[in-house]
C-alpha cells in the first residue's frame, strides 16, 4: 500500500503523490525504460550501414529509418504526456513499453526498408508514450527533496545509454547469433521490454486531478508540417529536387505557421494547446531552444557520418566502429556525472565550457584525421573524440535545468515538454541536413579518389598475376568509369561493373575499397570542419543564456 498526498506537478496542476513502500521497484522501472529508449537510438545508429546492405537499400532509405523514429517521437511526445495525465501514467507507460517491445520485434522481422520505416514510426510513437510518463512519475512519486537525486540518476542513465549504445550495437553485430545480423540490434530491446511489462503492474498509479483534453488538431498540423519539411530535405538529393519536393518544402512554412496561429487561439480562449508558443516570447527560452537545436542536430549528424566512415570508408567491423567511438561516449558520461558539481561552482557558464570544448573537439578531430589520412592507426583520434564527448556532456546534462530557470514558474511544465520535443525535431533535421552535405562532398571527392587509386593500382599491377598488362588496364578502365557512378548512385557495385575473371574482380574491388577510404575520409574531414563552424555558434548563445537573470 502507499500513502497519498497532494502536490503540484510541473505544469502547476494537482497530482496525487504517493509515498512508496517499494521505491526501488519504481526506480528500476524508470531507469530501465529510459535506458531501453535511449540506447535504441545509438544501437541502431551503428547498424545503419549493415541495415542498408542487408535490405539492399540506399543512404536515403536509411536516413528515413532514423528520421521516422525521431519525428514520430517528437510529434507524439506532448500528446503522450497529456494522455498519461488524463488516463493514468502507469497505464500509458504499460502501453508504451508494450508497443515499443512489439515494434522492436517487428523491426527485426522487416523484409524491406519501407516496412522497417513504417514500423519505426510505431516505435517512435511508443517511445513518446514512455518518456513523459517517467518524468511525470518522478514528480508525482517522489518528494521535492528526493527529486534532485532521482533526476541525477535519470540523466546518468541517459548518459550511460548514449555512451554504451554504439558499443552494444557493435557487439551484437559481431556476435551475430543465428546469423541474424542487423536484426539483432532491434531484438535487443525485446527482453528488456518483457521484463518491464512484468514489473510495471506492481508500481503505483498517478494522474492529474484536473484533466485537460488533448489537442489532436494541433498534433496533426505539426506532424504534417514537419513531414513536409523533412521529407524533401532527405529525398531531394536523390531525386534531383523535382518541383513536387520544392513545393512540399515551401508548403511546410504556412502549415507550421497555421499551427502557431491555432496554438495562440487556444491560449487566447484559455484552452490547453499542444504547445504554449507564447514561451518563445521569453528571450531566455528562445536562446535555450537554439542551443538545443544546434547541439542535437550536430550530434545526430556526427554519429551518422561516423558510422559510414568507419564501416564503409575504412572497412571496420561494427564492433571496432563502436569501440573507436567509445572515448566520446565515456567523455559524455563522465561530464554528465560531474556537470552538477561544475554548475555549482560556475553556474550556467558550464554551458560555455561545454560549447568551447565541443567546437574545439570537432576542429581538433578534423585536423587529427587529416594527419592520419586513411591510416588504420586511429587511436590518435581518441583524445579529440573524448573532448567532443566531454563538451557535449557539459551542455546536454545541465541544459534543461538552465533553460527552465529562465522561464516563468507557471510555464515550466510546458517549457520542459517543448524542450524535449525540440531535441527530437533537431535530431531528425540534423540527419536530413548532414545527408545533403555528406553526399555532395562524396560526389566531389569521388573523381580525385578514383584517380589516386588508379595510379596506385597501376603501380602494383604485377601483384595481380596472372593478369596481363592489357587485362589489368581493362580492369582499371572499368574501375575508372564505375566508381564515380557508384558514389553518385549511393549504391553498391552495379551488375555491369562485375567481372567473370576472379583476379580482375579482386583488382576492381581492391580499388573500390581504397577509393572509398580516400573519398569517405576526405568527406568526413570536410563535414567535421562544417560541424566545428556550426557548433561555434553555441559559444555566443551560451554566453547570452548565462547572462539572463
Amino acid at each position: 500500500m502507499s500513502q497519498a498526498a497532494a502536490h503540484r506537478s510541473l505544469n502547476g496542476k494537482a497530482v496525487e503523490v504517493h509515498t512508496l513502500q517499494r521505491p526501488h521497484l519504481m526506480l528500476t522501472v524508470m531507469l530501465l525504460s529510459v535506458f531501453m529508449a535511449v540506447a535504441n537510438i545509438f544501437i541502431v545508429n551503428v547498424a545503419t550501414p549493415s541495415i542498408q546492405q542487408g535490405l539492399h537499400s540506399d543512404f536515403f532509405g536509411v536516413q528515413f529509418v532514423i528520421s521516422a523514429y525521431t519525428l514520430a517521437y517528437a510529434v507524439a511526445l506532448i500528446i503522450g504526456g497529456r494522455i498519461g495525465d488524463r488516463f493514468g501514467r502507469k497505464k500509458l507507460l504499460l502501453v508504451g513499453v508494450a508497443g515499443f517491445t512489439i515494434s522492436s520485434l517487428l523491426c527485426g522481422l522487416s523484409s524491406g526498408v519501407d516496412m522497417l520505416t513504417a514500423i519505426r514510426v510505431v516505435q517512435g510513437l511508443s517511445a513518446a508514450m514512455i518518456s513523459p510518463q517517467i518524468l511525470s512519475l518522478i514528480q508525482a512519486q517522489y518528494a521535492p527533496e528526493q527529486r534532485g537525486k532521482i533526476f541525477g540518476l535519470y540523466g546518468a542513465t541517459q548518459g550511460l545509454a548514449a555512451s554504451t549504445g554504439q558499443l552494444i550495437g557493435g557487439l551484437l553485430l559481431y556476435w551475430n547469433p543465428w546469423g541474424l545480423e542487423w536484426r539483432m540490434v532491434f531484438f535487443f530491446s525485446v527482453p528488456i521490454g518483457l521484463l518491464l511489462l512484468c514489473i510495471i503492474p506492481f508500481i503505483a498509479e498517478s494522474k492529474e486531478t484536473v484533466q485537460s483534453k488533448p489537442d489532436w488538431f494541433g498534433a496533426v498540423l505539426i506532424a504534417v508540417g514537419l513531414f513536409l519539411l523533412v521529407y524533401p530535405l532527405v529525398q531531394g538529393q536523390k531525386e534531383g529536387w523535382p518541383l513536387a519536393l520544392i513545393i512540399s518544402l515551401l508548403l511546410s512554412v504556412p502549415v507550421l505557421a497555421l499551427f502557431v496561429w491555432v496554438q495562440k487561439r487556444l491560449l487566447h480562449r484559455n484552452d490547453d494547446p499542444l504547445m504554449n508558443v507564447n514561451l518563445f516570447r521569453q528571450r531566455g527560452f528562445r536562446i535555450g531552444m537554439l542551443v538545443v537545436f544546434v547541439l542535437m542536430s550536430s550530434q545526430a549528424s556526427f554519429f551518422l557520418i561516423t558510422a559510414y566512415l568507419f564501416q564503409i570508408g575504412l572497412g571496420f567491423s561494427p564492433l571496432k566502429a563502436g569501440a573507436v567511438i567509445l572515448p566520446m561516449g565515456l567523455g559524455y558520461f563522465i561530464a554528465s556525472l560531474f556537470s552538477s558539481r561544475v554548475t555549482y561552482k560556475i553556474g550556467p557558464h558550464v554551458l560555455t565550457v561545454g560549447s568551447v570544448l565541443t567546437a574545439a573537439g570537432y576542429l581538433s578531430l578534423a585536423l587529427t584525421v587529416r594527419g592520419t589520412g586513411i591510416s588504420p592507426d586511429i587511436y590518435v583520434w581518441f583524445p579529440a573524440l573524448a573532448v567532443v564527448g566531454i563538451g557535449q556532456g557539459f551542455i546536454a546534462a545541465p541544459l534543461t535545468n538552465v533553460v527552465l530557470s529562465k522561464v516563468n514558474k507557471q510555464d515550466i511544465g510546458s517549457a520542459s515538454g517543448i524542450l524535449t520535443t525540440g531535441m527530437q525535431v533537431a535530431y531528425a533535421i540534423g540527419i536530413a541536413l548532414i545527408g545533403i552535405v555528406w553526399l555532395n562532398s562524396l560526389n566531389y571527392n569521388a573523381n580525385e579518389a578514383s584517380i589516386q587509386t588508379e595510379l596506385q593500382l597501376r603501380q602494383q599491377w604485377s601483384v595481380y598475376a596472372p593478369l596481363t598488362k592489357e587485362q589489368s588496364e581493362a580492369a582499371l578502365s572499368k574501375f575508372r568509369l564505375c566508381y564515380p557512378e557508384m558514389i553518385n548512385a549511393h549504391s553498391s557495385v552495379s551488375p555491369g561493373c562485375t567481372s567473370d575473371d576472379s583476379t580482375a574482380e579482386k583488382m576492381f574491388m581492391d580499388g573500390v575499397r581504397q577509393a572509398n577510404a580516400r573519398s569517405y575520409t576526405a568527406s568526413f574531414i570536410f563535414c567535421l570542419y562544417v560541424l566545428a563552424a556550426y557548433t561555434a555558434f553555441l559559444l555566443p548563445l551560451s554566453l547570452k543564456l548565462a547572462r539572463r537573470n
Side-chain angles (χ1 to χ4, degrees):
M1 296 294 291
S2 61
Q3 294 177 333
H7 280 260
R8 295 272 172 182
S9 67
L10 278 176
N11 59 15
K13 296 181 180 179
V15 293
E16 191 178 3
V17 181
H18 296 263
T19 304
L20 297 173
Q21 287 186 341
R22 297 182 184 137
H24 297 298
L25 193 64
M26 171 66 74
L27 191 60
T28 300
V29 167
M30 292 191 297
L31 298 186
L32 264 182
S33 300
V34 170
F35 184 87
M36 180 179 70
V38 175
N40 174 267
I41 298 171
F42 295 93
I43 291 172
V44 172
N45 184 82
V46 78
T48 47
S50 300
I51 294 171
Q52 177 179 334
Q53 294 170 356
L55 293 179
H56 308 290
S57 179
D58 54 24
F59 182 80
F60 307 99
V62 174
Q63 278 183 292
F64 274 123
V65 169
I66 301 173
S67 298
Y69 175 88
T70 52
L71 277 180
Y73 186 11
V75 170
L77 197 58
I78 298 179
I79 285 287
R82 295 289 178 85
I83 297 174
D85 292 344
R86 186 180 181 87
F87 297 105
R89 291 160 185 138
K90 185 178 85 170
K91 291 187 182 71
L92 259 292
L93 181 60
L94 198 62
V95 170
V97 170
F100 195 93
T101 305
I102 294 170
S103 57
S104 296
L105 178 63
L106 294 177
C107 281
L109 298 175
S110 298
S111 57
V113 72
D114 292 337
M115 179 180 176
L116 178 59
T117 301
I119 299 171
R120 285 281 283 174
V121 171
V122 178
Q123 193 178 39
L125 294 174
S126 300
M129 298 295 107
I130 297 173
S131 181
Q133 315 317 323
I134 298 301
L135 294 173
S136 296
L137 283 169
I138 292 175
Q139 292 293 323
Q141 305 288 10
Y142 291 93
E145 62 273 12
Q146 296 177 302
R147 290 174 195 161
K149 179 182 177 181
I150 301 301
F151 274 119
L153 291 172
Y154 176 85
T157 302
Q158 287 184 311
L160 180 64
S163 62
T164 61
Q166 299 219 51
L167 183 60
I168 293 171
L171 283 169
L172 291 171
L173 291 169
Y174 175 78
W175 180 31
N176 190 23
W178 306 291
L180 292 172
E181 298 179 338
W182 61 268
R183 301 177 189 277
M184 195 61 200
V185 301
F186 293 105
F187 292 152
F188 173 79
S189 299
V190 175
I192 300 176
L194 292 175
L195 176 61
L196 283 168
L197 290 174
C198 294
I199 301 175
I200 291 173
F202 296 98
I203 68 173
E205 180 63 281
S206 76
K207 57 184 175 181
E208 286 189 359
T209 55
V210 179
Q211 299 178 354
S212 58
K213 184 179 179 181
D215 177 18
W216 297 109
F217 182 61
V220 171
L221 274 180
I222 194 171
V224 172
L226 289 174
F227 178 79
L228 291 173
L229 173 66
V230 174
Y231 182 82
L233 292 177
V234 174
Q235 203 71 4
Q237 182 80 4
K238 177 182 180 180
E239 299 185 10
W241 290 100
L243 182 61
L245 290 184
I246 295 174
I247 292 174
S248 171
L249 195 60
L250 294 174
L251 280 176
S252 68
V253 177
V255 172
L256 291 174
L258 177 60
F259 167 76
V260 173
W261 181 81
V262 169
Q263 300 305 291
K264 287 184 175 180
R265 289 282 294 174
L266 290 173
L267 284 169
H268 183 70
R269 299 203 309 253
N270 292 321
D271 288 335
D272 279 328
L274 179 70
M275 186 180 294
N276 183 1
V277 293
N278 286 341
L279 277 167
F280 290 92
R281 293 180 179 176
Q282 300 181 35
R283 188 167 179 264
F285 185 75
R286 288 201 308 272
I287 295 171
M289 287 300 296
L290 286 174
V291 173
V292 165
F293 184 86
V294 174
L295 175 67
M296 296 307 298
S297 57
S298 61
Q299 189 181 85
S301 302
F302 178 76
F303 283 131
L304 181 65
I305 61 175
T306 301
Y308 275 85
L309 169 71
F310 287 162
Q311 296 182 52
I312 296 182
L314 299 179
F316 291 177
S317 68
L319 177 59
K320 186 175 182 180
V324 170
I325 209 72
L326 187 59
M328 180 179 174
L330 290 176
Y332 185 94
F333 177 60
I334 292 170
S336 298
L337 285 179
F338 286 94
S339 63
S340 59
R341 296 185 184 181
V342 179
T343 304
Y344 178 77
K345 292 183 178 180
I346 64 175
H349 280 293
V350 64
L351 302 181
T352 307
V353 173
S355 300
V356 172
L357 290 175
T358 299
Y362 281 131
L363 180 59
S364 175
L365 184 58
L367 295 174
T368 304
V369 176
R370 186 175 181 180
T372 58
I374 61 174
S375 167
D377 186 20
I378 46 80
Y379 301 105
V380 293
W381 299 7
F382 286 2
L385 285 167
V387 170
V388 174
I390 292 170
Q392 291 183 349
F394 275 144
I395 301 173
L399 180 59
T400 300
N401 284 335
V402 171
V403 174
L404 293 182
S405 70
K406 308 296 179 181
V407 303
N408 299 328
K409 289 184 178 180
Q410 67 270 22
D411 295 326
I412 288 178
S414 298
S416 61
I418 295 174
L419 273 173
T420 310
T421 299
M423 290 177 185
Q424 302 305 319
V425 173
Y427 205 94
I429 293 177
I431 292 291
L433 292 178
I434 198 62
I436 296 173
V437 177
W438 173 253
L439 294 177
N440 277 293
S441 183
L442 278 179
N443 292 340
Y444 176 81
N445 290 305
N447 286 328
E448 181 66 23
S450 64
I451 291 171
Q452 292 181 14
T453 301
E454 183 183 350
L455 289 174
Q456 182 176 346
L457 289 175
R458 182 171 282 110
Q459 294 171 357
Q460 301 172 345
W461 71 271
S462 59
V463 175
Y464 298 94
L467 280 185
T468 64
K469 186 78 170 178
E470 292 74 16
Q471 288 173 321
S472 64
E473 285 296 331
L476 289 174
S477 176
K478 182 179 291 186
F479 167 78
R480 184 169 58 250
L481 292 173
C482 287
Y483 184 73
E485 291 181 1
M486 289 164 50
I487 291 294
N488 289 330
H490 316 294
S491 61
S492 56
V493 180
S494 59
C497 293
T498 57
S499 174
D500 294 332
D501 187 288
S502 60
T503 309
E505 181 69 10
K506 183 179 185 303
M507 187 180 198
F508 177 85
M509 293 307 300
D510 284 349
V512 170
R513 282 188 286 270
Q514 292 177 30
N516 275 347
R518 289 187 169 92
S519 59
Y520 276 67
T521 301
S523 300
F524 184 69
I525 293 170
F526 176 74
C527 288
L528 286 177
Y529 284 136
V530 171
L531 288 174
Y534 179 58
T535 53
F537 287 105
L538 287 170
L539 180 57
L541 290 172
S542 62
L543 286 171
K544 288 183 179 180
L545 193 61
R547 283 198 297 265
R548 293 293 297 165
N549 295 322

